[in-house]
Amino acid sequence: MRSSRDDSGAATAELAMALPLLLAVTVGLVWLLSVAAAQLRVVDAARESARAAARGDGTQEAVARGLEVAPPGSSITLTTAGGRVTAAAAGSVSGPGGLFGFLPAVTLHAEAVAAAEPVS
């Protein structure tokens, strides 16, 4: 005796159940990509500030140069000691929002060191 079972529409139902999960994974990956891009910008901001200060630019000019590269709302601090300039940059990336509003903002940090050039 053969049982006649109709499986038409099963693939559509399975796709409808998997689609929200695929969308959530895609949004998560895009957010991680934006965090990685922001980390690179924070590293570049620290490097730019350290190089500008090591060349002899004033502290405010060097920080302003780094803030041009940094993500919005970032901060940069410069310290000079022993012929070296250290720039520490910090910035944050907020969560993707919407259904993912429960994710906290990610705080990013970077530090760069440059040898101070002699003033002639």
Side-chain angles (χ1 to χ4, degrees):
M1 186 179 266
R2 269 180 95 179
S3 99
S4 147
R5 205 168 98 176
D6 186 16
D7 287 339
S8 66
T12 304
E14 290 170 359
L15 179 64
M17 292 185 65
L19 207 54
L21 178 63
L22 291 174
L23 182 64
V25 168
T26 302
V27 168
L29 290 174
V30 168
W31 182 64
L32 286 175
L33 183 63
S34 71
V35 169
Q39 176 64 35
L40 290 174
R41 289 178 65 188
V42 169
V43 169
D44 288 343
R47 186 179 312 130
E48 282 295 320
S49 292
R51 289 176 66 200
R55 276 195 316 254
D57 292 356
T59 301
Q60 289 188 349
E61 292 87 7
V63 169
R65 183 175 298 270
L67 289 176
E68 290 176 7
V69 180
S74 296
S75 63
I76 299 173
T77 57
L78 288 173
T79 56
T80 304
R84 297 186 324 170
V85 177
T86 303
S92 67
V93 177
S94 59
L99 294 174
F100 301 95
F102 65 91
L103 293 174
V106 176
T107 303
L108 308 168
H109 301 279
E111 189 174 282
V113 179
E117 296 180 9
V119 179
S120 43

